[in-house]
Amino acid sequence: MLGVVPSATLLGVDGHAVTVEVHVSSGLPSFTVVGSPDAACREASGRVRAALLSSACEWPMRRVTVNLAPPTVRKVGAGLDLAIAVAILIASEQVEPVAVEGLAFLGELGLDGSLRSVPGTLCLTEALGDRAIVLPAVNAREAGLVGQQPVHGLASLAAVVACLRGQEPWPAGPPPATTVDPPPVPDLADVRGQPVGRYAVEVAAAGGHHLLLMGPPGAGKTMLASRLPGLLPPLADRAALETTRIHSAAGLRLPATGLVRQPPFRAPHHGASSVALVGGGSATMRPGEISAASNGVLFLDELAEFATHVLDALRQPLEEGVVRVARAAATVTFPARFLLVAAMNPCPCGHGGRPGGCRCSDAARARYHRRLSGPLLDRFDLRVEVSRPSVADLMGSARNESTETVRARVLAARAAAAARGVRTNAAIPVQRLDALAPLTAEAEDVLAQALTTGRLSARGLHRVRRVARTIADLQDSPQALTAAHVATALSLRADAAPNPSPRALTA
């Protein structure tokens, strides 16, 4: 007899509908899975058999063939276990076929018959259309975020069988979302001194500009970077759903409410591989760290310690906002629209060539800086040198502006960008720069001089104009960009001009 049950499998951050067909026929007892299964799918026979026996169901001692259609899509993971078990019950006449009409099944089975969580539940639910979803209870709230079909969360295969046989009613739906206060964010007021670094963080948050902090150990680079997410606004509905889909597919822990509302902050170790950062893999195409940081911040501490080929893999995602991973089995596209913040020392020892302090040779410093290619360095809108704070700053009792105060200016600047029809000023298209970031004659002269002396490339010219637009928005100046705005934007690029004074930044 034949049993047919709908389910879904995960490929990248997208779910693909799968039809699980089970045929039970006479012959020597065997269990065969066909239809492009991976190793975890092929091992379903042991899990499903033990789960059925633990749930007081019979295992057919006959020839069992499982087909996962369509065969052109690779099936990964153990999320098809529940669908296979239900299809076996139908094919062996332990459950009536009419009982599964309008239902789809997702979930991994434990040997005791328990239903275990599967990654990418949100993506899988979207792929199943308007069918009612039967899945582990721990995934019910996540599946309910789609909001287009009933969701039945259960704890065991025995409970699923009881509902299919009409012995128990299906659960009403996912539990209501709980309201949980977000964890406290680090306060920018804790940073002592560093007026240039603080201002650069504010500009980066307001305009979505990539930021590179350079300075000796103990200067506060990591402290500054960790306070940037607290300046960002909560994610809008569309961005929150996209981020939640990515985190679900990556198997990351979701908040109690199910939906990721706070901009993510990802800080991978400098030993991370290219696959860990970009995503992919041989068997399972999983999103990497840059996708997990979508709509949030990717912080790369000790930037020069990352492998050169790993850093160069960031160049295309920074420009296009997506990652295209091609493998022999499949090609997937991951979202990768993130704010890149990086920190590095001026040299391997950290003292930056200071006489009497630096222990690095000229060759060692050159090798250290060669790890950052010119094209990658050019993609940083802001490149700021920070030094260790003074004794007066460290020992004094005066506190700088708090995160709440700075955040108000950041939100106002982002609102101004949204009114122009762009997500952030960093996303202003080149063809709209003249309309959205017009220049005064004096500002054009400043940029022309920077181009003439070779301090700016064509890409750098556009980025400086976008940064100048953000600086003007923070000063509530919607008119044409002045020479002061452009000069400040140039000064926030370490290779374009000396760092500005605190008075110039706040003028």
Side-chain angles (χ1 to χ4, degrees), residues 226-270:
S226 63
R227 278 145 181 79
L228 194 151
L231 303 177
L232 301 178
L235 299 182
D237 291 343
R238 183 174 180 179
L241 190 60
E242 179 187 60
T243 304
T244 304
R245 291 177 75 250
I246 297 170
H247 285 207
S248 175
L252 301 177
R253 184 183 180 88
L254 298 180
T257 57
L259 200 62
V260 178
R261 284 292 185 184
Q262 297 300 317
F265 181 77
R266 305 294 299 176
H269 187 264
H270 56 75

Side-chain angles (χ1 to χ4, degrees), residues 43 46-48 50-51 54 77-83 105-121 124 134-140 142 152-158 160:
E43 294 168 351
R47 294 189 300 270
V48 173
S54 298
L80 298 173
D81 286 359
L82 179 59
F105 298 82
L106 299 170
E108 176 187 344
L109 289 175
L111 299 185
D112 59 352
S114 59
L115 294 183
R116 295 176 178 171
S117 174
V118 293
T121 299
L124 299 174
V134 180
L135 75 174
V138 294
N139 295 129
E142 181 183 341
H152 305 308
L154 296 122
S156 66
L157 176 60
V160 174

Side-chain angles (χ1 to χ4, degrees), residues 131-155:
R131 293 178 179 272
I133 312 296
V134 180
L135 75 174
V138 294
N139 295 129
R141 180 177 290 118
E142 181 183 341
L145 296 175
V146 178
Q148 65 185 26
Q149 67 270 88
V151 175
H152 305 308
L154 296 122

